[in-house]
């Protein structure tokens, strides 16, 4: 089978994780990269021995490139994916899938029309920590799931990111930046969600960058930065979620699932591994450390979802980080904001299949 030739659009902070996949998988080659700043593309090409650094238009016009990885800022995800599809290329994008539901629906319709594939991060749920939790739940280790709790709270990105302003624009904020990790993991563990309610607020009109090189610059905040919600899964389980860039300190877990026979404590959905703890009845906790003997180690990093998508196209199967899953998560993120704006319970129109578990290396 011929290797799929891939181009990357967007050569910022996250791109190194994707360039690094070239050495981990044998069924594709990253052969070109592009960025609005051509010098950034040239620097990444030199760093990772990529044959071609070019403009976005040149990359899209290259007939040898069949597949594009879209690593642009959130506001550009939709337009770039549409360009890729119009040029006959399947595309995998960083999260969030798009900024708006309408944009996502247009992308999904165009992909279907052209017989192409669309996929979206996050892919952390394919890591050993989350796949171990999936196996335990599917095997009935906690009985029937009845509830879940998810917390991502911190002080925002302006203290560490070199250019954090886009995190506070439409398409950013804690829900659209970090929500995809938590909601995608919850959907793959428990299935799709049928209703959402909650509250959202913008705690500060402006924020000050304390990282370099923009230390001291003030950012206008356009989006809610503290969101608290409740939601119900299709299987009847009830979840609670808090996403915040406004919290200085806390003692909250990342993700927990509760069942009729026990509970599972799940590692950070923003990572691939970690320790899964199962507590059943009054028994002592059982620890499943994926670095330990006896637990399968799927030693992947960011980019495995893209690799699975490329392989799925070659094999004619559904890819795990697919557009229906990504759209359902996008729909949920908007629904939390809609619920706050409307003081309402939002019925979720979208749905998806739980992605197939990853039981062996690609």
């Amino acid at each position: 089978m011929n290797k799929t030739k891939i181009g990357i659009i967007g050569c910022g902070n996250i791109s190194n994780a994707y360039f690094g996949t070239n050495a981990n998988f044998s069924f594709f080659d990253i052969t070109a990269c592009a960025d609005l700043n051509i010098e950034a593309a040239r620097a990444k090409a030199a760093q990772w021995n990529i044959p071609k650094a070019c403009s976005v238009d040149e990359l899209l016009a290259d007939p040898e490139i069949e597949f594009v990885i879209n690593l642009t800022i959130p506001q550009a995800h939709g337009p770039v994916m549409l360009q890729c599809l119009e040029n006959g290329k399947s595309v995998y994008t960083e999260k969030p899938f798009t900024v708006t539901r309408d944009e996502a629906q247009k992308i999904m319709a165009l992909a279907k029309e052209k017989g192409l594939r669309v996929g979206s991060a996050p892919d952390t749920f394919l890591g050993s920590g989350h796949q171990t939790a999936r196996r335990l739940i599917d095997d009935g280790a906690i009985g029937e799931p009845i509830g879940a709790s998810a917390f991502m709270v911190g002080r925002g990105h302006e203290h560490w990111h070199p250019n954090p302003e886009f995190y506070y624009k439409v398409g950013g904020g804690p829900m659209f930046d970090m929500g995809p990790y938590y909601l995608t993991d919850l959907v793959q563990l428990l299935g799709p969600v049928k209703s959402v309610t909650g509250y959202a607020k913008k705690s500060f009109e402006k924020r000050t960058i304390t990282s370099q090189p923009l230390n001291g610059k003030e950012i206008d905040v356009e989006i809610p930065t503290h969101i608290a919600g409740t939601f119900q899964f299709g299987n009847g389980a009830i979840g609670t979620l808090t996403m915040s860039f406004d919290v200085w300190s806390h003692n909250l877990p990342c993700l927990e699932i509760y069942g009729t026979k026990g509970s599972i404590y799940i590692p950070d959905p923003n990572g691939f591994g970690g320790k899964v703890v199962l507590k059943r009845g009054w028994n002592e906790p059982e620890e499943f450390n994926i670095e330990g003997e006896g637990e399968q180690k799927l030693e992947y990093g960011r980019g495995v979802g893209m690799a699975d998508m490329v392989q799925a196209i070659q094999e004619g199967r559904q890819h795990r980080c697919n557009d229906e899953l990504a759209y359902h998560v996008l729909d949920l993120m908007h629904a939390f904001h809609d619920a706050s704006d409307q003081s309402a319970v939002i019925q979720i129109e979208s749905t998806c299949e739980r992605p197939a578990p990853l039981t062996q290396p690609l």
Side-chain angles (χ1 to χ4, degrees):
M1 182 180 293
N2 292 332
K3 289 186 177 184
T4 298
K5 293 188 177 181
I6 293 177
I8 288 180
I9 296 177
C11 295
N13 273 1
I14 193 63
S15 65
N16 288 333
Y18 288 89
F19 283 115
T21 60
N22 238 11
N24 298 331
F25 299 97
S26 61
F27 46 86
F28 64 81
D29 274 326
I30 298 172
T31 60
C33 60
D35 194 281
L36 291 178
N37 176 1
I38 189 62
E39 292 305 319
R42 287 170 179 157
K44 292 300 179 185
Q47 179 183 351
W48 291 99
N49 296 317
I50 305 301
K52 181 178 179 181
C54 58
S55 71
V56 172
D57 287 344
E58 286 177 286
L59 188 149
L60 292 174
D62 188 336
E64 292 194 343
I65 294 174
E66 306 166 61
F67 189 104
V68 174
I69 304 169
N70 177 21
L71 305 180
T72 56
I73 63 172
Q75 293 83 354
H77 285 182
V80 170
M81 281 192 284
L82 287 170
Q83 281 185 284
C84 292
L85 294 169
E86 291 286 7
N87 282 273
K89 304 180 193 305
S90 293
V91 57
Y92 179 93
T93 189
E94 251 302 322
K95 52 80 191 168
F97 185 27
T98 60
V99 171
T100 70
R101 293 181 178 103
D102 287 347
E103 203 171 38
Q105 290 168 1
K106 289 176 183 176
I107 288 163
M108 294 169 73
L110 183 59
K112 185 176 182 179
E113 175 189 322
K114 289 185 169 288
L116 297 169
R117 298 279 194 106
V118 174
S120 177
D123 55 7
T124 46
F125 72 90
L126 296 174
S128 292
H130 309 288
Q131 290 298 303
T132 296
R134 166 74 176 264
R135 175 176 58 79
L136 290 168
I137 291 170
D138 287 354
D139 288 349
I142 62 169
E144 181 183 345
I146 60 174
S149 296
F151 299 95
M152 194 302 299
V153 294
R155 196 55 194 165
H157 296 344
E158 64 269 25
H159 66 282
W160 66 270
H161 196 281
N163 189 18
E165 191 164 359
F166 71 91
Y167 287 110
Y168 297 96
K169 304 299 183 184
V170 173
M175 182 61 77
F176 280 79
D177 177 43
M178 299 300 293
Y181 297 110
Y182 289 74
L183 291 169
T184 304
D185 206 13
L186 283 165
V187 170
Q188 77 99 13
L189 291 169
L190 296 179
V193 172
K194 69 177 185 179
S195 63
V196 160
T197 190
Y199 293 93
K201 66 176 293 186
K202 179 169 61 173
S203 300
F204 307 95
E205 293 295 331
K206 295 182 180 293
R207 306 186 65 127
T208 302
I209 298 174
T210 58
S211 60
Q212 296 297 335
L214 301 176
N215 183 279
K217 180 181 178 180
E218 281 197 335
I219 300 171
D220 291 323
V221 179
E222 296 181 356
I223 39 76
T225 50
H226 188 94
I227 301 101
T230 305
F231 51 105
Q232 187 171 35
F233 293 89
N235 65 7
I238 296 171
T240 58
L241 171 145
T242 300
M243 297 273 132
S244 182
F245 281 170
D246 299 338
V247 174
W248 285 104
S249 180
H250 66 89
N251 288 304
L252 296 167
C254 289
L255 190 58
E256 299 180 341
I257 308 291
Y258 316 117
T260 53
K261 295 180 180 178
S263 300
I264 292 182
Y265 312 133
I266 297 168
D268 186 352
N270 191 19
F272 286 82
K275 185 185 294 183
V276 177
V277 179
L278 171 64
K279 183 74 164 61
R280 291 189 273 200
W282 304 112
N283 299 324
E284 290 298 312
E286 303 168 58
E287 294 187 358
F288 299 81
N289 188 340
I290 59 91
E291 302 301 333
E293 190 173 342
E295 283 300 306
Q296 181 180 1
K297 292 171 67 176
L298 300 169
E299 297 183 78
Y300 290 133
R302 281 170 172 78
V304 63
M306 173 276 298
D308 174 70
M309 180 177 166
V310 173
Q311 187 183 74
I313 293 171
Q314 294 173 350
E315 295 177 350
R317 61 171 173 84
Q318 176 65 295
H319 54 293
R320 292 172 171 88
C321 295
N322 59 71
D323 48 357
E324 289 187 357
L325 172 62
Y327 181 76
H328 185 58
V329 169
L330 177 71
D331 198 15
L332 296 179
M333 294 192 296
H334 276 291
F336 284 107
H337 292 87
D338 295 342
S340 181
D341 293 342
Q342 300 170 27
S343 298
V345 176
I346 305 298
Q347 302 300 318
I348 305 301
E349 296 183 3
S350 66
T351 190
C352 65
E353 297 290 331
R354 295 169 75 201
L358 185 62
T359 57
Q360 59 186 16
L362 298 176

